[in-house]
Amino acid sequence: MSEIERGRGVALWSQIGDILADDILKGRLPQGQMLPSAQELATRFDVNRHTVRRAMATLEQRNLVRTEQGRGTFVQEQALDYPISRRTRFNQNMRNLNVDTDTEILEDARELPPTQVAEALGLGRNEYVYRIETMSRADGHIVDHSTAYFPAARFPGLPAIYRRTQSVTQTLNEFGITDYVRKHTRVSARLPDAHTARLMKQPANRPILHVQSINADPRGMPVQYGITRFSGDWVQLVLMAGD
Amino acid sequence: MSEIERGRGVALWSQIGDILADDILKGRLPQGQMLPSAQELATRFDVNRHTVRRAMATLEQRNLVRTEQGRGTFVQEQALDYPISRRTRFNQNMRNLNVDTDTEILEDARELPPTQVAEALGLGRNEYVYRIETMSRADGHIVDHSTAYFPAARFPGLPAIYRRTQSVTQTLNEFGITDYVRKHTRVSARLPDAHTARLMKQPANRPILHVQSINADPRGMPVQYGITRFSGDWVQLVLMAGD
DNA sequence: CCGGTCTGTCTAGATAACTAGACATTTGTG
DNA sequence: CACAAATGTCTAGTTATCTAGACAGACCGG
């Protein structure tokens, strides 16, 4: 059973609210079902009934439950308020991360000074980069949110081509790069920043898979640096041996 | 700039700590760089200096910053890159990184019916497996908590050997397996279960890297199925192209 | 070595979060 | 109707969090 912790910097009512919200959103508490009574939950979490009530208030606010005096509190049935996590598997070869997805371009590509990405792309101080932000869906569910950087000097006019082709492979191909390889990939588990959480419509306390990658041309020259943030609930990266 | 919010159920020091931790982990504050002074941060977040100090204390606890009296607070340099390739060996990885490893066997290996792992190891219903639970430290910090399964019929008496050698590579070697390769690796971001969180001494809301792997002998026969839970703060998986 | 700028450590008080208990109101059931 | 079980609403007191201020100790540059 889930536990709560005192003095951790998160109010008890907030922790209890999160646990119950999670139970509801993950489907462990079916729609329409009556929750345990406030007194019962207070006993279970070893907390005062008022604290439970405060948690309930937030759930009611979020339209996750509905309370009826004298009867009880019930899981609010809802069609499409929050995406219920159905836990799909999204198997994709690491090398093909950027292709074959239903992508939406969030921001028109901009030319920027290469601050932190300079090193990754092997660029000097005053060489500019293009940045492209995208978001991909599968089955209508948001799967990832990516930021890709390209050296602007080497690929003049890249954004227009990318907008037309919607594919990294295609775009690079038009610049004569018929092959490129994943130079390396860094994977870490993180909590999303506020911006990403909002974009991906997921709570700030649900982890994401944060993938940094560098693609290089056959001569080993980096051609793309990217950051992809996968929904931790929806995605499992599958790393195949060999390929 | 990131904002904090009062009365949201999360203590101000906790929110400030999260923001700064994020800045550090995402690289917006470069390693070794001095943070703004406590007074400066207090002004920026519109909060008392003591509140900032409390946030700093948690960052120091997590070893993300280092404070030096009279000088300032600095981003602690670290990043334990963990290379994963077809030939991944934990002990060797760590030796290459020049850190003090220390693996502790949590549970004496047991012979178990192969419930969920049967398929992964290509076993039938009534073939037993050994399970070994370990926890590894590097430089005194908990790095991972692993569960490894081996087919018992093929490796009789394996636990004793493992206990002596403390190394998967060595142990398999004594059974005549001089080489093995990573057949596949699954990586996902998760919140730790209660047991893992307690073992790894990390809060339940800090994500971990959950890695499932299968190692196979040169003929492709699975010899080990493992689940490794890496501390998200300390470990970055680095996937190498090629090998 | 002196003054400015940091962190470290106290004390005291204000505000938010939590507890404890009492009692009212609504609902379903025997 | 009487009763049990639920939510709703008070009051009062405790604990955690945050604020305010003062001062000590370490560091650095002039």
Side-chain angles (χ1 to χ4, degrees):
Chain A
M1 226 244 341
S2 287
E3 275 304 330
I4 62 175
E5 201 183 337
R6 305 178 104 92
R8 195 194 53 166
V10 181
L12 299 181
W13 60 263
S14 181
Q15 296 185 54
I16 293 172
D18 285 348
I19 289 172
L20 295 175
D22 203 57
D23 282 347
I24 293 171
L25 291 171
K26 294 251 170 75
R28 284 188 289 274
L29 291 172
Q31 303 209 339
Q33 173 159 331
M34 181 179 164
L35 295 181
S37 75
Q39 183 53 59
E40 217 167 316
L41 287 172
T43 306
R44 180 187 303 179
F45 287 118
D46 194 18
V47 118
N48 194 275
R49 186 170 72 99
H50 292 84
T51 307
V52 170
R53 281 180 56 71
R54 181 149 185 195
M56 289 298 192
T58 69
L59 295 182
E60 199 162 14
Q61 193 77 19
R62 291 212 271 157
N63 204 25
L64 290 174
V65 303
R66 142 185 53 92
T67 65
E68 299 180 23
Q69 185 170 358
R71 306 215 322 122
T73 306
F74 303 84
V75 177
Q76 178 66 285
E77 36 278 282
Q78 51 198 185
L80 46 99
D81 197 359
Y82 276 77
I84 304 268
S85 156
R86 246 185 308 105
R87 201 165 218 102
T88 19
R89 277 198 160 42
F90 189 78
N91 291 345
Q92 208 177 7
N93 194 315
M94 287 297 282
R95 289 221 178 112
N96 294 337
L97 272 182
N98 287 333
V99 292
D100 266 9
T101 38
D102 166 30
T103 2
E104 171 189 354
I105 300 179
L106 295 177
E107 188 197 51
D108 240 20
R110 269 199 266 170
E111 217 167 333
L112 298 166
T115 47
Q116 333 100 304
V117 298
E119 198 186 350
L121 285 172
L123 297 177
R125 283 274 158 215
N126 43 10
E127 301 184 69
Y128 277 55
V129 298
Y130 291 123
R131 181 179 70 191
I132 297 179
E133 301 238 3
T134 59
M135 196 167 65
S136 302
R137 290 189 183 76
D139 280 345
H141 293 282
I142 295 168
V143 162
D144 79 56
H145 160 44
S146 301
T147 310
Y149 297 89
F150 302 86
R154 182 161 180 194
F155 304 117
L158 179 141
I161 297 175
Y162 183 82
R163 216 170 302 125
R164 193 180 78 238
T165 62
Q166 303 248 342
S167 153
V168 170
T169 312
Q170 282 277 110
T171 303
L172 293 178
N173 200 29
E174 303 214 3
F175 283 103
I177 297 177
T178 55
D179 189 26
Y180 62 89
V181 295
R182 178 68 50 120
K183 206 171 173 196
H184 81 240
T185 307
R186 282 193 157 73
V187 184
S188 58
R190 302 190 178 181
L191 296 177
D193 58 40
H195 177 242
T196 303
R198 194 163 357 97
L199 266 178
M200 298 182 70
K201 291 182 184 152
Q202 76 158 55
N205 66 344
R206 182 125 38 95
I208 56 167
L209 269 173
H210 186 274
V211 179
Q212 273 178 82
S213 59
I214 297 179
N215 283 316
D217 64 19
R219 286 196 312 269
M221 195 64 192
V223 294
Q224 185 217 11
Y225 169 72
I227 294 176
T228 305
R229 305 158 197 84
F230 288 103
S231 156
D233 265 8
W234 292 88
V235 179
Q236 275 196 337
L237 302 180
V238 176
L239 318 174
M240 314 289 275
D243 179 63
Chain B
M1 227 244 342
S2 287
E3 276 305 328
I4 62 175
E5 201 182 336
R6 304 178 105 93
R8 195 195 50 166
V10 181
L12 299 181
W13 59 263
S14 180
Q15 297 185 54
I16 293 172
D18 286 347
I19 289 174
L20 294 176
D22 201 59
D23 283 346
I24 292 170
L25 292 170
K26 296 251 169 82
R28 283 189 289 273
L29 291 172
Q31 303 209 338
Q33 173 159 332
M34 181 179 163
L35 294 181
S37 75
Q39 183 53 60
E40 217 168 315
L41 288 172
T43 306
R44 182 186 302 178
F45 288 118
D46 195 18
V47 119
N48 195 274
R49 186 170 72 99
H50 293 85
T51 308
V52 170
R53 281 179 56 70
R54 182 150 186 195
M56 289 298 190
T58 67
L59 296 182
E60 201 161 12
Q61 194 76 20
R62 290 170 63 182
N63 212 351
L64 291 174
V65 303
R66 142 184 54 90
T67 65
E68 299 181 22
Q69 185 171 358
R71 305 217 321 125
T73 305
F74 303 84
V75 177
Q76 178 65 285
E77 33 279 284
Q78 64 192 200
L80 218 157
D81 281 358
Y82 190 97
I84 286 196
S85 66
R86 297 192 65 191
R87 294 192 158 57
T88 299
R89 279 99 175 100
F90 177 82
N91 289 336
Q92 199 178 332
N93 275 346
M94 292 305 170
R95 227 173 300 125
N96 291 343
L97 291 171
N98 247 332
V99 292
D100 277 348
T101 55
D102 161 31
T103 303
E104 174 189 351
I105 300 179
L106 295 177
E107 188 197 53
D108 239 21
R110 270 198 267 169
E111 220 167 333
L112 299 166
T115 47
Q116 337 96 303
V117 299
E119 196 187 349
L121 285 172
L123 297 177
R125 282 274 157 216
N126 43 10
E127 302 183 68
Y128 276 56
V129 297
Y130 291 124
R131 181 179 68 191
I132 297 180
E133 299 238 3
T134 60
M135 193 168 64
S136 301
R137 291 188 183 76
D139 285 340
H141 295 280
I142 294 170
V143 162
D144 78 56
H145 161 45
S146 300
T147 311
Y149 298 88
F150 301 86
R154 180 160 180 194
F155 304 117
L158 178 141
I161 297 176
Y162 183 82
R163 217 171 300 124
R164 193 178 79 239
T165 60
Q166 305 247 337
S167 153
V168 170
T169 311
Q170 281 277 111
T171 303
L172 292 178
N173 201 29
E174 302 214 3
F175 282 102
I177 296 178
T178 54
D179 190 27
Y180 62 90
V181 295
R182 179 71 51 122
K183 204 171 173 197
H184 81 239
T185 308
R186 280 195 159 72
V187 183
S188 60
R190 302 193 180 178
L191 295 177
D193 58 41
H195 176 241
T196 303
R198 195 162 355 95
L199 266 177
M200 298 184 69
K201 291 183 183 142
Q202 76 157 55
N205 68 341
R206 183 129 34 100
I208 57 168
L209 271 172
H210 187 274
V211 178
Q212 278 178 77
S213 60
I214 297 179
N215 282 315
D217 64 19
R219 286 197 311 270
M221 196 63 193
V223 294
Q224 185 215 11
Y225 170 72
I227 294 176
T228 305
R229 304 157 197 86
F230 287 103
S231 155
D233 266 9
W234 287 91
V235 178
Q236 281 193 331
L237 301 182
V238 176
L239 316 175
M240 315 289 274
D243 180 64

